[in-house]
Amino acid sequence: MSRFTLTWTITEKEEGKLVREFLKEQGISKTALTDIKFHGGAIFVDEQPVTVRHRLCCGETLRVLFPKESPSEGMMPEAIPLDIVYEDEYVLVVNKPPFMATIPSREHPGGTLANALLYHYQKQQLESTIHVVTRLDRDTSGLALVAKHRHIHHLLSTLQQQGKITRRYEAICHGCLTEDKGTIDAPIARKSDSIIAREVRDDGQRAVTHFRVLQRLREYTYVSLQLETGRTHQIRVHLAHIGHPLAGDELYGGSREAISRQALHSKELSFFHPIKRKIYTFSCPLPDDMKQLMERVS
């Protein structure tokens, strides 16, 4: 089984730095260094074990071996096909189908994206657990970003807070949006009488969604949505708030007469790769059920 490692060749600019100092600059936290020291990780310079007090020289090869990761108890690998859009040794981008939960829960203990990923990792002999960076609701289809290791997840989460991970969704909502484009800036909080549902409320967390009409249909609107923040159910809550709930979204006032799930698709994903240091952008087509709905009402 392979363990996660990161390797650097030291340049003239980094000459004389302590390993501790260099690794901090690479985004490896004190907590991660403690984990490396006490839970089976190691640090090598030119394949010789060193401590974080080693002073680096130009041309040396620094390698960090991270501790073994184990999946949560009870999470089992399942041989479920994955539509992998992109994969390297650090990240995965997956096109998740509708009706697949992202992680196991009491209602959906198996058949999830996490179960499928765990099986995929075991085939690769990768010692890791599941780190989904951009989670999707069970009924939402489309692109999800997954980190293959806890440290990569930490780096991507930081980038997400800096706005360096962007997602564009496409959706079909009830009614006719009269404005061609606009912004919904309305705070979201959990409903006091529900553990699932959210609502727009003054004491909620700030939430901002930008929308653009792609096509007006009979009794529906096909719309593109860009998230500025990433609150739970944000698009669903915001569209319901302005009187245009998603088709199929019964939780927030939509009807399932035309489609059996919320008509929401994660169409495009763009992110700055924290190791390869460049921007990657991916897109995927609408799933069949949304295409068929549009054909019926266009």
Side-chain angles (χ1 to χ4, degrees):
M1 298 289 279
S2 62
R3 295 263 294 280
F4 182 72
T5 64
L6 286 175
T7 304
W8 301 266
T9 299
I10 303 307
T11 66
E12 282 185 21
K13 189 175 71 173
E14 293 141 359
E15 171 99 41
K17 288 184 179 178
L18 296 176
V19 166
R20 181 197 303 114
E21 181 185 1
F22 176 84
L23 292 180
K24 182 181 179 183
E25 291 172 357
Q26 308 310 310
I28 298 178
S29 65
K30 278 186 178 179
T31 303
L33 283 175
T34 301
D35 201 34
I36 290 163
K37 183 176 180 179
F38 293 108
H39 296 98
I43 301 170
F44 302 91
V45 168
D46 292 340
E47 294 308 313
Q48 298 301 311
V50 298
T51 71
V52 293
R53 295 183 296 277
H54 175 86
R55 201 169 289 279
L56 295 164
C57 296
C58 180
E60 287 181 331
T61 298
L62 172 65
R63 182 168 69 90
V64 175
L65 175 68
F66 287 82
K68 175 183 175 181
E69 286 190 19
S70 300
S72 304
E73 263 187 55
M75 187 187 291
M76 302 299 294
E78 294 182 38
I80 302 167
L82 285 169
D83 182 1
I84 296 173
V85 177
Y86 173 79
E87 180 176 17
D88 60 27
E89 60 266 52
Y90 311 107
V91 302
L92 274 161
V93 177
V94 181
N95 182 12
K96 185 187 83 67
F99 311 112
M100 173 188 268
T102 298
I103 58 171
S105 64
R106 189 179 302 167
E107 295 78 16
H108 305 285
T112 73
L113 179 61
N115 297 111
L117 286 167
L118 197 57
Y119 180 81
H120 180 68
Y121 289 173
Q122 288 195 356
K123 282 201 303 179
Q124 294 182 328
Q125 296 192 318
L126 177 66
E127 287 185 335
S128 187
T129 188
I130 308 305
H131 303 283
V132 182
V133 181
T134 59
R135 289 189 186 182
L136 298 175
D137 295 339
R138 177 179 178 269
D139 287 357
T140 300
S141 56
L143 298 176
L145 176 61
V146 180
K148 284 187 165 183
H149 185 268
R150 183 184 297 115
H151 175 62
I152 301 300
H153 191 195
H154 163 71
L155 295 178
L156 287 168
S157 295
T158 302
L159 290 168
Q160 194 167 26
Q161 291 165 10
Q162 296 169 353
K164 293 182 180 177
I165 297 177
T166 58
R167 291 170 283 166
R168 187 176 69 82
Y169 291 78
E170 290 184 359
I172 304 168
C173 63
H174 285 282
C176 179
L177 277 166
T178 54
E179 296 179 5
D180 290 338
K181 61 182 180 178
T183 296
I184 307 165
D185 186 344
I188 292 174
R190 178 184 278 128
K191 274 192 170 183
S192 55
D193 59 352
S194 173
I195 59 169
I196 298 171
R198 267 63 175 174
E199 64 183 350
V200 168
R201 211 169 64 211
D202 289 342
D203 63 346
Q205 292 179 296
R206 185 167 187 252
V208 180
T209 305
H210 306 285
F211 69 86
R212 177 170 54 89
V213 170
L214 298 174
Q215 187 179 351
R216 290 182 175 89
L217 310 159
R218 282 187 290 113
E219 300 176 11
Y220 297 93
T221 304
Y222 177 35
V223 63
S224 170
L225 303 125
Q226 185 90 36
L227 294 177
E228 191 172 309
T229 54
R231 308 303 175 204
T232 300
H233 296 181
Q234 179 171 316
I235 288 171
R236 300 167 65 187
V237 172
H238 272 174
L239 286 176
H241 176 65
I242 63 170
H244 296 279
L246 290 172
D249 192 359
E250 288 185 327
L251 183 63
Y252 294 108
S255 167
R256 290 206 168 173
E257 184 180 344
I259 190 169
S260 60
R261 54 105 179 184
Q262 70 243 15
L264 182 60
H265 179 65
S266 176
K267 171 75 174 177
E268 188 173 288
L269 171 70
S270 182
F271 66 96
F272 181 78
H273 198 301
I275 305 300
K276 299 194 173 183
R277 311 297 294 174
K278 62 179 183 177
I279 295 170
Y280 286 78
T281 301
F282 303 97
S283 64
C284 62
L286 279 181
D288 290 342
D289 60 350
M290 288 180 67
K291 285 180 186 173
Q292 289 162 7
L293 171 55
M294 287 186 63
E295 287 168 4
R296 290 196 303 272
V297 299
S298 60

